[in-house]
Amino acid sequence: MPNRLLRLAAIPVLAWAAVSFAADDYDDHVAESNGLRVVHAWARATTGPEALVFADIVNDSGADVLLQGGASGLAASVELVGFELRDGEPAYTPLPAIPVRNRREVVLAPNGLALRLNGLAETLVEGDEIEITIVFDVGPVDVHVEVGASDAAGHSHAGHAH
Amino acid sequence: MPDAVADLWQTLPVMAQDIAWFVLLLLPALVVGIVVLAGYRPFALVGAILWRFRWTSLLFVALIAVSVGIGVGLIAQERGLRQGTARAADKFDLIVTAPGSEVTMMMAAVYLQPVDAPLLSGAVYNEIASHDRVSLAAPIAFGDSYRAAPVIGTTADFVSHLSGDLATGRLFATHGEAVIGARVALDIGDSFEPAHGAGPAAEEGAHAGAAYTVVGRMRPSGSPWDKAILVPVEAVWAVHGLPDGHGPQHEGALGPPFDADYFPGTPAILVRAEELWANYALRSDFTRADTMAFFPGAVLARLHSLLGDVRQVMSVMAIVTQVLVTAGVLAGLVILTRLFSRRLALLRALGAPRRFVFAVVWSYAAALIGAGAALGIGVGVAATAIISRVVTARTDILVRASLDWPELHLVAGFVSLTVLLALVPAFVALNRPVAPELRA
Amino acid sequence: MDDALALTVSDLRVLGDDGRAILTVPHLAVPQGAAIGIRGPSGAGKSTLLFALAGLASRASGRVAWGTTDIVAMGEGDRAAFRRERIGMIFQDFLLFEELGALANASLAASFAPRRRRGAIARQAGATLARLGLAGGARAVASFSGGERQRVAVARALSTDPAIILADEPTASLDRETADRLVDDLVALARETGKTLIAVSHDPAVHRRMDRLVDVVDGTLAAEAPADA
């Protein structure tokens, strides 16, 4: 909790810092294509063959689009999944494409939507940065994904104004 | 090679993985047992020693059983609570409320804990109800009560959604009718007058003259809704002197569609889509300035992970307790072996190899540990059953006791570790001189 | 009768916990199949001698040879193996497992013997029990009389068909009549199968049935005496 308060307090400072220094860093935190912006993509360090990728997807393309899934050289497949409690146990179920309405945002986050990397070629290590492609009906967006701690709750820069 | 093993592991079904883990955890105990006992048959002697020191042995077994039971109970109880709360929320796919605390609104709308909540307007309700992916949009208007039972205003469709077919009777069809939960202390045909609010602050008589008659009873759901009384939302509005959701031209039937101009508001709306993915689309659509949409399942999962953290901390304490208790028992065993040291010396005099004497003492310790661990599983399950019953009685959330692999893994690991520790008293017993013990 | 397991003791010294010699045996020879009584005052070292002959003395020097096997020179595991195969021991207070029955006690050696010998041990134990007039029932020996218990102990000592029987005050816990009967049985069993019997005892009834007697006085084996002295 104190951590979160600190983060809140840090927002104005970091926002300024982001604007002044992070111009080259910006590319890694935001991917943009066809008016679709993918912000703060992140994943947790893993030990098994699966990983979940989370991000904020903002649709400024001027039309509704469909989020279909993804692809990555690191994984055998990338699919859109949604969280469910199954008999009290958390589980992620594959989903078909979901709409992202124009001028709206879809949040991929723990206990919600995510892109699941199946059949990872190697484990994800904290501090790594991996690349995946998020596929929409209007075309793909290449995204840098930051790998956080195995118990991370969000992107390390979540709260920044990008 | 490790990769190949890891790949193979991943291809195993969950059940096989659980069994494999269990065997793997128990393996050290089995290997030690096989190595120590190879070629010998000390069981009659071990039985004789167990019987000779039966009360002490029983005490040791009981100590181990209680400490193992605490560990087993913790794991089983946490899972029981998780599954119980999740089952109780099973019918609540997506809840839309005014912006606020998801946890508070979940407690109110799913678990019927009274709370004062701002209302959603008729316009919002209609927008949700007319959304092309929504198959059910039901107002959940809480606030009134009858004795301990919350009185919830909603629609007949919601009653059907909760209960499927009713256990007895029929759905409400007019303002004055009510359907009750499986464990409400009323019968079909009974009439009652609701109070405004809930708990000690409820105002009896505030709704004087507004009586409901029970016309149906739902099937049990294992949730607080078993203690709830469901009435037409129109009746709740009317009882409070508000418009009843339908314009003046409306005649007859209860339920949607409602006229936004005559819709007094509802604190929560249950939204159901036919498919999981559509729920996500709906949540995205109704997460905005004037509405908050959340999955009770996701909120629960967050609470469960807190519960899991607490359980982990307590599990560490439980494991420490188990190991300490066992260490104590084994220290007691060192003393106990002095009491039968003459018999052990006799075995040496008869030409028994050192390893045989070692095997006798170790087997005795292993028997205490094995019996304690097995009994501990029973103690844990029994404790969980009792606690679950209390929790169910207090919260109306059906919590069941069960035995599953994680507990068995814990016990297997415990047995392996302590059976290895039991080698120590066996060694100690060996290092006593033989001849002095044999003299009368 | 061959003398393969005749006993030859020379220059045996057994040290106590404080490092002083508690027993000295310059020389002792016992042919195989003989019955020897060891007598002497309490605390003179009779039992110490018996345990030294069994390879149970932890601090001993000199030579205790059964045939060509010097038990003093052996390691602990080999001594145990030698006892297992060659020696049967009987104690004053029986040292039975009270919770087990007569046959289970008498065939105790089967629980650590190699699988192939287990059957023979159990058969021999049962036969000896029968010979001594005890049924091999499951009744725990806790309820047995002293005479019955010592007979179970005798059956246990003979269950492995050892060439040597070492008995430490076998009659001291028994009444006169029982003691006489036990000694008769024990000596008869030993003589029938040519076993060497060495019995520490202060009981003249035991002494009378021995071939010869040796005296232990003040920790030293004194001159040998004829059996009826």
Side-chain angles (χ1 to χ4, degrees):
Chain A
M1 210 50 177
N3 195 8
R4 191 159 300 164
L5 289 176
L6 263 179
R7 267 191 207 158
L8 281 175
I11 289 174
V13 178
L14 291 174
W16 172 79
V19 170
S20 37
F21 302 122
D24 52 71
D25 202 28
Y26 181 89
D27 289 344
D28 284 350
H29 295 174
V30 182
E32 196 156 2
S33 174
N34 297 326
L36 292 169
R37 269 191 307 145
V38 179
V39 188
H40 289 152
W42 65 282
R44 294 180 177 130
T46 62
T47 50
E50 289 176 2
L52 297 173
V53 172
F54 309 108
D56 296 355
I57 296 171
V58 184
N59 178 6
D60 287 329
S61 67
D64 294 356
V65 301
L66 282 174
L67 168 58
Q68 293 177 320
S72 170
L74 285 173
S77 66
V78 179
E79 61 185 340
L80 186 65
V81 293
F83 177 85
E84 272 187 306
L85 270 188
R86 252 185 248 141
D87 205 19
E89 302 294 338
Y92 285 87
T93 308
L95 298 179
I98 70 159
V100 185
R101 296 196 191 280
N102 185 31
R103 305 238 148 254
R104 298 296 292 274
E105 181 178 333
V106 164
V107 178
L108 310 188
N111 298 338
L113 287 172
L115 286 162
R116 182 164 65 195
L117 311 185
N118 298 312
L120 276 179
E122 51 196 84
T123 58
L124 304 186
V125 179
E126 184 176 358
D128 278 1
E129 196 160 279
I130 61 169
E131 292 190 19
I132 73 164
T133 305
I134 300 183
V135 177
F136 299 88
D137 58 344
V138 292
V141 179
D142 291 328
V143 180
H144 287 271
V145 179
E146 176 187 292
V147 179
S150 59
D151 58 350
H155 188 274
S156 67
H157 288 215
H160 288 205
H162 278 300
Chain B
M1 190 59 196
D3 278 352
V5 173
D7 290 346
L8 179 68
W9 182 259
Q10 295 299 339
T11 62
L12 291 177
V14 174
M15 178 76 161
Q17 284 188 8
D18 282 331
I19 292 172
W21 257 118
F22 182 73
V23 172
L24 220 60
L25 282 164
L26 210 52
L27 203 59
L30 295 175
V31 169
V32 169
I34 288 166
V35 168
V36 169
L37 297 178
Y40 298 147
R41 291 196 306 178
F43 307 111
L45 285 183
V46 173
I49 295 169
L50 277 169
W51 183 244
R52 160 160 286 203
F53 301 110
R54 49 194 173 277
W55 300 116
T56 315
S57 301
L58 212 60
L59 175 69
F60 285 173
V61 167
L63 281 171
I64 294 173
V66 168
S67 69
V68 168
I70 290 171
V72 167
L74 257 173
I75 297 176
Q77 192 68 63
E78 189 236 6
R79 186 185 49 246
L81 286 171
R82 260 191 298 128
Q83 291 179 343
T85 50
R87 250 194 314 271
D90 214 26
K91 298 278 185 177
F92 297 82
D93 300 1
L94 181 66
I95 302 280
V96 179
T97 65
S101 156
E102 290 182 352
V103 173
T104 305
M105 292 315 296
M106 177 183 76
M107 293 308 286
V110 177
Y111 301 106
L112 302 179
Q113 302 296 307
V115 68
D116 279 329
L119 304 180
L120 293 171
S121 69
V124 168
Y125 175 81
N126 281 343
E127 189 185 344
I128 294 170
S130 61
H131 195 289
D132 51 7
R133 296 205 177 89
V134 169
S135 65
L136 171 66
I140 301 177
F142 42 81
D144 287 349
S145 65
Y146 171 70
R147 299 201 177 138
V151 174
I152 310 294
T154 185
T155 62
D157 286 345
F158 177 78
V159 178
S160 301
H161 171 62
L162 264 192
S163 173
D165 296 337
L166 293 181
T168 52
R170 58 173 174 83
L171 297 171
F172 47 68
T174 69
H175 277 206
E177 293 179 340
V179 174
I180 55 177
R183 292 164 62 216
V184 173
L186 286 170
D187 282 314
I188 301 226
D190 287 355
S191 281
F192 67 94
E193 211 168 274
H196 187 67
E203 298 166 45
E204 297 288 346
H207 300 319
Y212 294 104
T213 304
V214 177
V215 297
R217 183 188 289 276
M218 294 190 291
R219 294 183 184 283
S221 64
S223 76
W225 290 83
D226 288 345
K227 283 271 185 74
I229 299 169
L230 280 65
V231 299
V233 66
E234 291 92 337
V236 172
W237 289 324
V239 161
H240 290 84
L242 300 165
D244 75 351
H246 302 287
Q249 295 85 12
H250 180 81
E251 43 195 275
L254 294 171
F258 295 107
D259 185 332
D261 294 336
Y262 296 90
F263 189 97
T266 176
I269 300 169
L270 167 91
V271 182
R272 188 169 154 68
E274 286 306 338
E275 312 208 40
L276 182 62
W277 70 268
N279 278 320
Y280 281 98
L282 288 167
R283 181 177 71 158
S284 173
D285 286 355
F286 291 103
T287 299
R288 54 190 209 201
D290 61 336
T291 57
M292 172 175 83
F294 64 92
F295 299 125
V299 177
L300 260 186
R302 285 210 305 274
L303 295 179
H304 287 170
S305 88
L306 282 179
L307 187 67
D309 290 346
V310 172
R311 193 257 297 155
Q312 266 183 348
V313 171
M314 291 179 72
S315 288
V316 170
M317 294 196 291
I319 289 169
V320 169
T321 308
Q322 282 169 29
V323 172
L324 283 180
V325 164
T326 310
V329 165
L330 294 177
L333 219 61
V334 170
I335 297 163
L336 201 61
T337 53
R338 281 175 196 275
L339 294 180
F340 54 87
S341 60
R342 284 202 82 199
R343 298 299 181 287
L344 299 181
L346 166 79
L347 291 174
R348 302 280 292 132
L350 296 185
R354 281 176 84 99
R355 192 167 68 82
F356 177 76
V357 177
F358 186 88
V360 169
V361 178
W362 180 85
S363 300
Y364 176 57
L368 295 181
I369 290 166
L375 201 62
I377 293 173
V379 168
V381 171
T384 311
I386 292 166
I387 294 170
S388 296
R389 203 165 298 169
V390 172
V391 170
T392 302
R394 294 222 174 141
T395 64
D396 301 316
I397 298 170
L398 179 64
V399 177
R400 291 197 196 102
S402 63
L403 184 66
D404 210 339
W405 286 105
E407 300 89 289
L408 296 177
H409 291 159
L410 174 82
V411 173
F414 167 81
V415 167
S416 274
L417 177 68
T418 51
V419 145
L420 282 171
L421 284 177
L423 296 173
V424 175
F427 270 117
V428 171
L430 275 190
N431 290 324
R432 227 166 262 130
V434 174
E437 298 280 1
L438 292 174
R439 294 169 198 274
Chain C
M1 181 155 306
D2 76 87
D3 257 9
L5 283 175
L7 172 65
T8 318
V9 179
S10 48
D11 298 327
L12 173 68
R13 267 163 61 87
V14 180
L15 303 182
D17 290 335
D18 55 4
R20 286 186 307 163
I22 52 174
L23 176 71
T24 311
V25 181
H27 178 76
L28 174 66
V30 178
Q32 182 169 352
I36 302 294
I38 299 174
R39 62 182 180 181
S42 293
K46 304 188 298 287
S47 296
T48 303
L49 173 56
L50 196 77
F51 292 148
L53 299 183
L56 288 167
S58 47
R59 308 178 70 183
S61 62
R63 189 174 149 81
V64 175
W66 294 99
T68 55
T69 310
D70 179 6
I71 204 163
V72 174
M74 292 167 101
E76 213 197 73
D78 291 336
R79 290 186 199 178
F82 184 81
R83 279 196 298 279
R84 195 151 69 232
E85 276 158 29
R86 303 292 187 197
I87 297 177
M89 293 191 78
I90 297 165
F91 304 91
Q92 175 180 340
D93 51 352
F94 328 129
L95 289 178
L96 301 177
F97 281 86
E98 303 290 319
E99 299 76 17
L100 297 179
L103 184 60
N105 264 295
S107 56
L108 193 61
S111 54
F112 49 83
R115 189 180 302 272
R116 64 193 145 73
R117 289 193 59 197
R118 284 177 196 158
I121 290 170
R123 272 194 302 280
Q124 180 71 45
T128 315
L129 283 175
R131 162 80 189 265
L132 294 172
L134 286 171
R139 185 164 61 100
V141 298
S143 63
F144 281 28
S145 70
E148 288 174 319
R149 287 174 193 219
Q150 196 60 301
R151 274 177 276 155
V152 172
V154 168
R156 180 177 68 192
L158 295 175
S159 66
T160 54
D161 193 23
I164 303 150
I165 300 171
L166 301 179
D168 186 12
E169 300 282 9
T171 59
S173 300
L174 306 178
D175 63 61
R176 184 70 267 148
E177 200 179 322
T178 312
D180 288 345
R181 213 189 123 196
L182 184 100
V183 143
D184 284 339
D185 285 338
L186 178 59
V187 171
L189 284 166
R191 292 202 190 283
E192 276 167 26
T193 47
K195 300 186 197 307
T196 305
L197 172 63
I198 299 179
V200 163
S201 181
H202 59 262
D203 182 354
V206 173
H207 300 160
R208 273 197 296 277
R209 290 164 174 83
M210 297 292 121
D211 297 332
R212 62 189 172 106
L213 299 170
V214 294
D215 287 288
V216 176
V217 180
D218 286 341
T220 308
L221 187 73
E224 294 185 19
D228 293 306

